[in-house]
Amino acid sequence: MTPIAHVLPLESGSFTEQPLSGPNGHLEGVAELAEKFASSFNAGEFAKCTALLHDLGKFKTDFQNYIRSETGYECEESDDFGVGKVDHSAAGAIWANKNISGFGILLAYLIAGHHTGLPDYSKDGAKGSGLGERLSNIKHLEQSLENGGAEYLSSICIPKMQNAPVKNPQNLHLWVRMLFSCLVDADFLDTERFMNPENNGERSFDQSLTELKKSFDSFMSQMQSKSADSPINKVRKRILQDCINSAQKEPGLFSLTVPTGGGKTLASMGFALDHAIKWNKSRIIVAIPYTSIIEQTADVYRKVFGDNAVLEHHSNLDPDKETLKSRLASENWDAPIVVTTNVQLLESLFAARTSQCRKLHNIANSVIILDEAQMLPPEYLKPILFTLESLTTDFNCSLVLCTATQPALVGKIGTELAVFNGLPENSVRELMSNPENLFEEMTRTNVQYLSDKKISWEDLAEQLSQQEQVLCIVNTRKDCKTLYDLMPDGTIHLSASMCGQHRSKIISEIKEKLKNGDPIRVISTQLVEAGVDIDFPVVYRAMAGMDSIAQAAGRCNREGKLTQGMVYVFNPPKEAPVGLLRYGAQASSSMLKGEISNSIVLDPNRFKTYFRQFYNQVHSFDKPDIMRDLDLYSNDLHAQFRTAADKFKLIDDKAQKSVVVWYSDEKVNSQELIEQLRIVGPNRRIMRKLQRCTVNIPKNYWDKLKEFGYITEIKGPDDKGLDMWQQATSALYSQVFGFSLDGPEFQGTEFVC
């Protein structure tokens, strides 16, 4: 029989078939795309060879019988080890390992995992099998020599590995993962081109970066002409000009050290556009730590470039903002400007699943703006920095570490507890011509330390109550509620106990009150510190890391409307929680030792000292030992890709569980959405909207709520559980505090959490 790759049923009841190989064959179609994708990092030949081998197993008679009987849909979406499926991915992996000396096993990882994800080499008794075991099952290759398979293999051109593909051998795993991305995206797109040409036709963005640069220049010109000729606006204009001037520098690592309120969102984009055009980069990726900031940043960029040029990709995205084009682009980041989360970017760089890895080849040859770089998690810092450096040295990226509080990421990091060499000395170039003077010019606050002694919540509440407009930032949700309870009526509470939709609404109300000059007192956790554009005359901050204190100061007199805003740092009744928050507070305390001054808090050079002291307290910069799992070079090209991906979780989803809360406003009603789920089952639009109505709580807390019946599982059609949980009593969610146990029905209930 003539080998086919896919079968498409037609409305007439007949079928059309895509050949497996030949002029219009699937293998050649995937190879052409994969080679094109990998050319951005000089690996086109390797991607092409891998693509030509990836579906070798489809030459099997068993597979050809199977696909003709099952129309191809079930097979393409299946796990290779599923009951009744025919393994079509092992054959090419075995051939590559046997016939390509030196690095054939690297291609074998890609081929074997092109549907199920990058595998571990060994499974150690876990369910399923590792790559090593699959490579030993030679029958898969023997059966693939049927139906012209042997003749097809004779035409395969094996590439030569003339130079090491990465400068640091420890980053070889990223090269493998990038090739994997080229393969799986090409495989998906060629299949879609045959099976769903309508969707395939929606995968193009019309605007080039050159055209977007014209839109940016026009927008900035109009904005600057309308802005007041204030000292701060003059500084912002100079910051933008410095960024544009620096765009001519050769690609690599950069830092953008700008005080909060300095306009770095637009200035960094100005650099990125000019730099991308000068050095022929493909796209601009902006990664941000919080979804609340992403929404704000993406909205700014949409005003500049229009809706169709900006892809906003994160779990909390409002589905009303999503179009078919943006949904398709989110699968592989094929858009000129991508705004995403640090979690999405970094976890993808260590991922094994095909759906997460598809986008990686579109990260290559891009300009990456890593906003609020000080928030890179210390316990993952070693694998993160190695990978970020590799993006610039091996994959033609330029990376901007963008923050007001630049961390010390160059040279030796840590001390006897844990130590490693971070980014190379002199590798990071600053975009600003004189950041020290910049911080002096933009000083808009007077920072004062209230006392070395701890202040009671009652005394603090009394001080706050005397202010007409004041923001107080504390370290925990519990502290936030405790202090709020002591405040006068009309005070606003803001914390992660509130769902995303609720927080967005409250932040909008805060901005409106500030704009109107209304009295307003806000008690908040640190979620307002990074990037939330609010401007208070007075800010109080519980003792924390120097970066947090500086970020809090950035919410004070942000627009410079006052001669000087006031920031008060206080010692709360309880220390910061054990872990990174306490490390930060202790490092700050050891530096300050007396009265805080503006020069200490805002001087960029002092942040290097602070971060060195902070990192000296960290016990491990690779806590999950990910680098050992991925060290192909030292382990005979054996790696545990899937194990490492499972370990690299910046948000510990095992320690937290989500609850859909009963929240409604003019944009969303979660109870109505839950009822829709009961009728129609899981639906992308419904699930996305419900994501904005969820709260994450500690797992042990969640277990108790379930035990007491305060949360229940959401059911779909036929009363089937959806593994989603909702609150079961109205008292569990407050329009003031969010998720809480303040209702009368909880009185007397003891929770040990």
Side-chain angles (χ1 to χ4, degrees):
M1 62 184 78
T2 301
I4 60 173
H6 304 105
V7 178
L8 176 63
L10 302 176
E11 292 183 3
S12 63
S14 60
F15 300 88
T16 182
E17 300 172 345
Q18 182 186 30
L20 178 58
S21 64
N24 298 310
H26 174 62
L27 289 167
E28 286 78 5
V30 175
E32 182 181 355
L33 286 172
E35 182 180 24
K36 175 185 173 184
F37 295 157
S39 64
S40 66
F41 53 97
N42 303 314
E45 289 181 290
F46 300 99
K48 179 180 179 180
C49 179
T50 305
L52 290 172
L53 291 169
H54 83 286
D55 273 356
L56 180 64
K58 288 188 176 183
F59 281 100
K60 294 179 183 179
T61 299
D62 284 351
F63 186 88
Q64 290 301 310
N65 290 335
Y66 171 75
I67 196 171
R68 283 173 165 81
S69 65
E70 299 291 340
T71 75
Y73 282 116
E74 292 82 0
C75 179
E76 282 304 311
E77 297 299 328
S78 74
D79 184 310
D80 283 337
F81 308 109
V83 177
K85 310 303 183 198
V86 180
D87 187 334
H88 70 273
S89 60
I94 295 167
W95 191 91
N97 187 49
K98 286 174 62 68
N99 293 279
I100 304 178
S101 62
F103 63 92
I105 190 173
L106 298 181
L107 306 191
Y109 283 103
L110 321 182
I111 298 165
H114 74 269
H115 281 306
T116 58
L118 280 169
D120 287 343
Y121 183 82
S122 59
K123 273 296 189 180
D124 296 329
K127 182 181 178 181
S129 59
L131 178 65
E133 182 181 340
R134 295 187 70 191
L135 293 178
S136 67
N137 196 345
I138 197 69
K139 72 174 185 178
H140 289 300
L141 177 57
E142 293 171 347
Q143 293 170 356
S144 298
L145 302 180
E146 304 163 342
N147 299 308
E151 291 81 0
Y152 174 78
L153 282 172
S154 66
S155 67
I156 299 292
C157 181
I158 299 175
K160 294 182 180 180
M161 184 77 76
Q162 296 178 341
N163 300 302
V166 291
K167 289 183 172 59
N168 183 343
Q170 291 192 72
N171 292 323
L172 185 56
H173 71 92
L174 184 59
W175 186 79
V176 173
R177 199 175 273 105
M178 282 285 187
L179 277 181
F180 183 62
S181 169
C182 296
L183 171 63
V184 296
D185 195 29
D187 187 26
F188 189 97
L189 292 175
D190 186 76
T191 301
E192 181 186 69
R193 187 161 51 191
F194 175 75
M195 302 290 284
N196 192 345
E198 293 81 9
N199 275 10
N200 195 255
E202 289 289 328
R203 289 186 178 273
S204 61
F205 282 79
D206 298 329
Q207 293 175 286
S208 67
L209 290 177
T210 301
E211 291 171 319
L212 295 178
K213 170 74 165 61
K214 293 177 182 177
S215 298
F216 179 84
D217 290 344
S218 175
F219 179 88
M220 295 305 299
S221 177
Q222 291 181 35
M223 189 177 79
Q224 289 176 354
S225 67
K226 295 177 182 177
S227 299
D229 192 26
S230 65
I232 283 184
N233 283 333
K234 288 180 180 177
V235 174
R236 287 171 178 163
K237 187 174 182 179
R238 197 165 71 247
I239 289 169
L240 174 62
Q241 193 58 53
D242 268 1
C243 283
I244 291 173
N245 292 342
S246 296
Q248 304 303 307
K249 295 178 181 178
E250 290 191 0
L253 287 163
F254 299 93
S255 60
L256 175 57
T257 310
V258 171
T260 53
K264 67 179 185 294
T265 297
L266 290 171
S268 60
M269 180 57 69
F271 164 83
L273 285 167
D274 278 40
H275 189 73
I277 293 167
K278 165 69 177 177
W279 299 101
N280 198 29
K281 303 300 181 187
S282 302
R283 60 187 44 79
I284 297 164
I285 299 170
V286 182
I288 300 172
Y290 296 130
T291 54
S292 58
I293 315 173
I294 287 180
E295 293 167 349
Q296 177 178 288
T297 302
D299 285 343
V300 170
Y301 290 150
R302 287 192 191 96
K303 290 178 182 177
V304 180
F305 304 113
D307 293 343
N308 294 328
V310 180
L311 171 64
E312 184 180 354
H313 186 204
H314 56 89
S315 61
N316 210 27
L317 177 65
D318 185 344
D320 291 338
K321 293 182 178 180
E322 194 174 48
T323 64
L324 174 60
K325 187 182 289 288
S326 67
R327 180 175 65 79
L328 293 172
S330 69
E331 296 172 351
N332 63 356
W333 284 8
D334 189 8
I337 297 174
V338 180
V339 184
T340 189
T341 60
N342 289 357
V343 171
Q344 181 73 244
L345 173 66
L346 296 173
E347 288 192 357
S348 294
L349 289 167
F350 290 89
R353 291 171 50 202
T354 56
S355 58
Q356 284 183 287
C357 288
R358 275 187 67 186
K359 65 177 76 73
L360 292 183
H361 71 88
N362 280 328
I363 295 176
N365 197 43
S366 64
V367 181
I368 303 169
I369 300 170
L370 197 62
D371 198 20
E372 306 298 349
Q374 80 282 357
M375 299 189 72
L376 290 174
E379 291 169 330
Y380 294 86
L381 198 58
K382 183 177 179 180
I384 287 174
L385 290 188
F386 279 24
T387 298
L388 294 180
E389 183 193 357
S390 183
L391 287 177
T392 64
T393 58
D394 305 314
F395 300 99
N396 298 319
C397 291
S398 283
L399 176 73
V400 184
L401 301 168
C402 186
T403 178
T405 56
Q406 204 66 241
L409 302 178
V410 173
K412 179 182 173 182
I413 299 175
T415 183
E416 62 270 6
L417 289 175
V419 64
F420 77 104
N421 289 321
L423 301 175
E425 297 285 354
N426 303 315
S427 64
V428 182
R429 292 158 290 166
E430 174 60 44
L431 299 184
M432 293 295 97
S433 56
N434 196 328
E436 290 80 8
N437 287 353
L438 194 62
F439 277 72
E440 289 182 15
E441 287 184 72
M442 290 198 69
T443 298
R444 293 150 290 164
T445 59
N446 180 14
V447 183
Q448 292 186 6
Y449 190 22
L450 289 180
S451 172
D452 289 331
K453 296 181 180 179
K454 295 178 179 179
I455 187 172
S456 69
W457 292 126
E458 289 79 7
D459 288 346
L460 181 60
E462 184 177 347
Q463 288 191 32
L464 296 173
S465 299
Q466 295 172 7
Q467 303 289 340
E468 284 290 305
Q469 291 186 330
V470 63
L471 167 66
C472 181
I473 304 172
V474 294
N475 289 323
T476 68
R477 301 184 201 184
K478 185 176 181 180
D479 289 351
C480 190
K481 184 178 182 305
T482 299
L483 179 57
Y484 174 88
D485 285 337
L486 298 170
M487 294 293 294
D489 291 344
T491 302
I492 294 175
H493 169 280
L494 187 60
S495 79
S497 293
M498 304 155 80
C499 68
Q501 185 68 28
H502 193 178
R503 293 198 305 267
S504 294
K505 182 178 181 181
I506 293 299
I507 290 172
S508 294
E509 291 175 359
I510 292 170
K511 290 180 178 180
E512 188 65 23
K513 284 182 175 292
L514 289 170
K515 180 181 177 182
N516 296 334
D518 298 335
I520 179 172
R521 303 178 184 94
V522 177
I523 312 299
S524 176
T525 58
Q526 59 266 39
L527 67 85
V528 299
E529 284 182 348
V532 178
D533 188 8
I534 52 179
D535 187 357
F536 280 84
V538 179
V539 171
Y540 281 66
R541 182 54 169 103
M543 176 59 76
M546 293 284 282
D547 55 329
S548 292
I549 294 171
Q551 291 288 353
R555 311 312 121 196
C556 181
N557 195 24
R558 187 178 181 87
E559 296 300 321
K561 296 177 181 178
L562 306 174
T563 303
Q564 206 167 49
M566 294 300 301
V567 178
Y568 299 101
V569 180
F570 63 92
N571 276 309
K574 292 183 179 180
E575 284 188 277
V578 174
L580 297 177
L581 282 174
R582 185 169 294 182
Y583 293 164
Q586 290 173 345
S588 295
S589 296
S590 67
M591 284 183 65
L592 299 174
K593 294 180 180 178
E595 185 176 354
I596 296 177
S597 69
N598 287 326
S599 61
I600 291 176
V601 175
L602 299 178
D603 182 355
N605 292 316
R606 293 304 298 263
F607 287 115
K608 295 177 183 177
T609 303
Y610 161 74
F611 275 106
R612 289 192 187 99
Q613 293 195 22
F614 172 69
Y615 291 144
N616 285 349
Q617 301 176 77
V618 176
H619 290 257
S620 175
F621 295 104
D622 183 9
K623 188 175 181 181
D625 211 6
I626 289 166
M627 296 303 292
R628 184 180 65 177
D629 290 326
L630 296 176
D631 194 353
L632 285 155
Y633 183 78
S634 301
N635 292 305
D636 298 322
L637 302 184
H638 297 173
Q640 300 294 95
F641 284 103
R642 195 164 298 186
T643 296
D646 289 340
K647 288 180 179 179
F648 195 90
K649 300 294 183 185
L650 300 187
I651 299 176
D652 188 355
D653 52 10
K654 294 180 180 178
Q656 297 186 89
K657 293 280 284 185
S658 295
V659 175
V660 178
V661 297
W662 295 348
Y663 177 80
S664 65
D665 59 22
E666 60 276 7
K667 293 184 177 180
V668 67
N669 185 316
S670 63
Q671 288 177 279
E672 289 182 0
L673 292 169
I674 291 169
E675 179 61 19
Q676 291 176 33
L677 274 185
R678 190 189 66 78
I679 297 170
V680 304
N683 170 286
R684 182 183 179 88
R685 185 190 67 83
I686 298 173
M687 302 290 273
R688 278 292 184 88
K689 280 189 172 291
L690 282 177
Q691 181 68 33
R692 294 185 60 78
C693 299
T694 62
V695 174
N696 292 325
I697 59 175
K699 175 64 166 58
N700 57 344
Y701 194 18
W702 186 93
D703 289 337
K704 283 289 185 180
L705 292 169
K706 180 182 175 184
E707 177 186 339
F708 279 80
Y710 296 149
I711 58 174
T712 58
E713 190 173 14
I714 297 174
K715 302 294 180 67
D718 302 323
D719 209 35
K720 291 182 179 179
L722 300 178
D723 195 27
M724 296 173 59
W725 293 75
Q726 65 168 316
Q727 69 178 87
T729 169
S730 59
L732 202 60
Y733 195 84
S734 160
Q735 293 301 310
V736 175
F737 301 118
F739 202 94
S740 67
L741 292 177
D742 275 353
E745 61 195 274
F746 301 124
Q747 300 307 310
T749 300
E750 293 186 6
F751 283 82
V752 181
C753 300

